[in-house]
Amino acid sequence: MDHPEIKLSPYAADLTISNNLTRSKDRFEPLNAPYVGLYVCGPTVYSNVHLGNVRTFLTFDVIYRYLCQLGYQIRYVRNITDVGHLIGDTDEGEDKIGAKARLENLEPMEIVQRYTNDFQDVMRVFNILPPSIEPTATGHIIEQIEMIEQIMSNGFAYEANGSIYFDVRKFSEKHDYGALSGRKIDDLRNATRELDGQSEKRDPLDFALWKKAGATHLMHWPSPWSVGFPGWHLECSVMSTRYLGKQFDIHGGGMDLKFPHHECEIAQNIGAYGGELPVRYWIHGNMLTVNGRKMSKSEGNGFTPEELISGNHKLLERGYSPMTVRFFMLQGHYAGTLDFSNAALQAAEKGLQRLMAAWAKIENLPTTDTGAVDIAGLRDRCYAAMNDDFNTPVLIATLYDGVKWINNAADGRLQITAEQKSSLSELFRTFAGDVMGLKFEVDTSENVDNRSDGLMALICELRASAKADKNWAMADEIRDQLAAIGVQIKDGKDGASWEFD
Ligand code: AMP
Ligand code: ZN
């Protein structure tokens, strides 16, 4: 199909992605360019988001932002898991949300709402863009039942006491269970404990599509088989295909979801719709670790973004700003693990300050008639970095060449023309701003508050003396310039006071 009205960037043709399905770096060719379907597994909303979760959602935020920058029209679906995710990621036991509801004596939907709100707040704090659609598992129970019926009618699922299980052995007679994770079904079987005789499953590798609810289970719906609830893997198959089609471009999530969650998703899709693999490019964000161990709620080494900003946690020497954290995470490539440390965050804070200070300086750089900088070359290298599997560390290193130019031009050691200056400004806006999602922050930490007080007292004094000299233009200029950066001056009887917006 031709879409003359939507123009892709010429750089779009060179994007390559480390595709976990093919285990190779593949050129990105969407099924239906310029449209792109992107699905990312969202949070299970039973507790506060920790910084590890933030890393995964940040990874896909930057991928989404870069695809937008290339001119793609993206439908970005990121779900909310609000039922079916059982404690321990197993097929038996209590629902994570149900358990929390019982503990706090609340409705499960109160738990869901509270932690969905928390998740969305945290995303905003880190400047992570909202998806195009944020569907919930409980909003798609009917579709989940329909998909189970489809899988059953194709012979890949069976009923046992009101629960439905996916028949992995049957599926693997015709299809590849392990296509994504590379696992072999015999190895998996050897590594799995035998059924204890109590289980309803025919084979330990089988997984639940529908579970009959026990008497104390809080969240349940009627179905043709029992009053129960859907299995955890099913919702993502249902919501991705519902909104993106039976085949779509990119599926993402944290590395820990590759097996079994994503492997089961593929099996379900093929089990229901047959034929081709449902997703073309599988991308997994690697884990945030603390002293080499995955950050997680159950390890007790996870801190919330609030604790991170306030510094109020035993692992934190002090607080760090959201953009510092963003920059820290982008200094590592998404496919590698990233270890949290105070030293690394402090280094990131300095690095970010250098970058942002240079960016802020561009506007006031002196210009000359001839220039000695190759902005087009720098732009090519920025795109090349991102086109190489979204390599943000290389992008940052490349932008630092621009930082050097800016600092040299500011000191009069490098010539830059007005045109080059405006291209450089656009380059920073695009790559530091739009792609990496960095923004200027008002630092409200204690130290800076003290310094801000001193600075503002000085500025208010200068403004008062301008007024005393009847230099109203200068007094207004100071007030307006401060307002433009979010500082409000209020004139009162006892002089001027100020506050941040
Ligand atoms: P959950 O709410 O547990 O379903 O997790 C939400 C997302 O966060 C999933 O994509 C997980 O893979 C991801 N995640 C969990 N722990 C970490 C971690 N330590 N580092 C990076 N991503 C994580
Ligand atoms: Zn999922």
Side-chain angles (χ1 to χ4, degrees):
M1 246 194 295
D2 240 11
H3 299 275
E5 73 282 9
I6 300 168
K7 257 183 94 95
L8 280 185
S9 156
Y11 292 102
D14 296 326
L15 173 59
T16 55
I17 296 180
S18 282
N19 185 355
N20 283 330
L21 182 66
T22 57
R23 286 163 216 114
S24 61
K25 213 179 252 189
D26 297 342
R27 187 169 298 282
F28 181 55
E29 285 162 3
L31 284 163
N32 190 23
Y35 301 103
V36 169
L38 168 64
Y39 186 91
V40 174
C41 292
T44 306
V45 282
Y46 73 106
S47 66
N48 291 109
V49 179
H50 62 65
L51 206 64
N53 305 128
V54 172
R55 183 182 186 205
T56 288
F57 298 117
L58 173 62
T59 290
F60 291 99
D61 182 54
V62 171
I63 290 174
Y64 172 52
R65 284 166 174 273
Y66 186 59
L67 292 172
C68 290
Q69 177 58 34
L70 292 178
Y72 286 115
Q73 302 291 300
I74 301 140
R75 182 175 292 166
Y76 175 17
V77 184
R78 191 184 65 207
N79 70 302
I80 297 282
T81 296
D82 58 355
V83 71
H85 198 170
L86 304 189
I87 291 171
D89 297 351
T90 60
D91 277 347
E92 301 298 332
E94 235 186 326
D95 187 295
K96 292 185 181 192
I97 291 158
K100 188 71 181 255
R102 199 183 304 283
L103 195 70
E104 303 208 5
N105 211 7
L106 292 172
E107 273 293 317
M109 279 299 135
E110 282 180 287
I111 296 294
V112 164
Q113 192 65 56
R114 177 194 293 171
Y115 293 111
T116 301
N117 292 348
D118 169 73
F119 170 68
Q120 288 166 343
D121 289 347
V122 168
M123 295 297 101
R124 263 190 298 278
V125 165
F126 288 96
N127 203 20
I128 293 172
L129 297 172
S132 335
I133 307 177
E134 196 164 42
T136 61
T138 56
H140 296 75
I141 298 290
I142 291 171
E143 291 91 334
Q144 294 186 72
I145 290 172
E146 283 169 0
M147 191 162 187
I148 296 172
E149 285 173 331
Q150 192 70 45
I151 296 171
M152 289 181 87
S153 76
N154 291 338
F156 294 122
Y158 57 89
E159 181 178 351
N161 301 323
S163 293
I164 310 292
Y165 295 98
F166 192 92
D167 192 335
V168 173
R169 183 192 297 268
K170 185 82 182 294
F171 178 79
S172 60
E173 283 166 11
K174 286 202 190 117
H175 304 284
D176 184 9
Y177 184 81
L180 176 65
S181 60
R183 302 192 189 204
K184 297 271 165 278
I185 194 152
D186 291 333
D187 298 344
L188 281 171
R189 188 161 291 117
N190 291 338
T192 319
R193 263 185 295 137
E194 276 308 304
L195 295 176
D196 56 8
Q198 304 287 314
S199 178
E200 305 158 343
K201 295 181 188 178
R202 290 182 191 162
D203 187 291
L205 292 184
D206 295 350
F207 57 91
L209 299 175
W210 186 264
K211 287 290 285 182
K212 179 178 174 178
T216 56
H217 201 97
L218 294 173
M219 303 169 87
H220 47 70
W221 291 261
S223 79
W225 317 288
S226 63
V227 171
F229 56 93
W232 171 39
H233 313 304
L234 189 62
E235 57 170 288
C236 289
S237 283
V238 163
M239 292 187 273
S240 61
T241 52
R242 160 92 196 254
Y243 297 110
L244 301 174
K246 288 178 184 154
Q247 225 198 358
F248 60 94
D249 297 303
I250 305 176
H251 194 314
M255 195 67 96
D256 54 343
L257 298 184
K258 190 172 176 184
F259 187 89
H261 184 58
H262 291 157
E263 197 69 64
C264 293
E265 263 188 72
I266 295 175
Q268 290 166 157
N269 286 34
I270 295 176
Y273 308 124
E276 284 177 286
L277 287 165
V279 178
R280 304 273 304 268
Y281 302 86
W282 282 91
I283 305 177
H284 294 97
N286 215 329
M287 296 293 107
L288 180 68
T289 56
V290 182
N291 298 323
R293 298 172 77 93
K294 177 186 166 187
M295 182 180 280
S296 77
K297 189 132 181 86
S298 48
E299 286 267 349
N301 63 358
F303 41 80
T304 64
E306 210 171 60
E307 289 164 336
L308 180 89
I309 294 163
S310 67
N312 191 12
H313 189 278
K314 62 180 188 312
L315 284 168
L316 297 164
E317 284 170 13
R318 61 175 171 83
Y320 303 95
S321 79
M323 286 303 116
T324 299
V325 176
R326 210 176 153 107
F327 191 72
F328 159 68
M329 290 184 176
L330 295 177
Q331 279 180 317
H333 186 247
Y334 75 86
T337 55
L338 179 67
D339 202 48
F340 164 86
S341 75
N342 282 280
L345 271 169
Q346 283 158 25
E349 193 174 69
K350 285 211 183 81
L352 175 67
Q353 272 165 6
R354 240 182 96 217
L355 183 80
M356 300 307 268
W359 182 6
K361 254 193 249 176
I362 300 177
E363 204 183 335
N364 295 319
L365 286 183
T367 57
T368 48
D369 289 342
T370 55
V373 287
D374 176 14
I375 309 279
L378 191 68
R379 184 185 302 116
D380 285 348
R381 285 166 52 214
C382 287
Y383 276 104
M386 287 305 285
N387 275 343
D388 184 14
D389 195 24
F390 312 103
N391 199 324
T392 51
V394 173
L395 173 63
I396 291 172
T398 309
L399 283 178
Y400 274 128
D401 284 349
V403 169
K404 249 181 265 157
W405 292 349
I406 294 162
N407 291 335
N408 285 340
D411 292 348
R413 277 179 283 142
L414 184 75
Q415 298 208 315
I416 185 167
T417 66
E419 200 185 321
Q420 287 171 341
K421 183 170 125 174
S422 94
S423 304
L424 196 58
S425 173
E426 197 192 313
L427 191 81
F428 270 70
R429 205 173 330 117
T430 300
F431 283 98
D434 297 344
V435 172
M436 286 202 287
L438 298 173
K439 59 179 190 183
F440 291 91
E441 295 178 303
V442 177
D443 194 332
T444 51
S445 65
E446 228 172 82
N447 280 344
V448 176
D449 267 359
N450 291 340
R451 273 179 278 154
S452 310
D453 284 343
L455 279 172
M456 285 307 300
L458 180 64
I459 292 171
C460 289
E461 227 171 84
L462 289 172
R463 185 165 169 267
S465 79
K467 279 178 153 183
D469 295 343
K470 301 207 165 16
N471 188 349
W472 309 119
M474 170 72 87
D476 289 349
E477 173 79 13
I478 291 174
R479 186 198 54 213
D480 296 347
Q481 294 271 355
L482 287 171
I485 56 167
V487 184
Q488 299 299 336
I489 296 259
K490 288 205 181 76
D491 290 311
K493 275 202 292 306
D494 310 321
S497 62
W498 64 277
E499 63 185 23
F500 290 128
D501 269 351

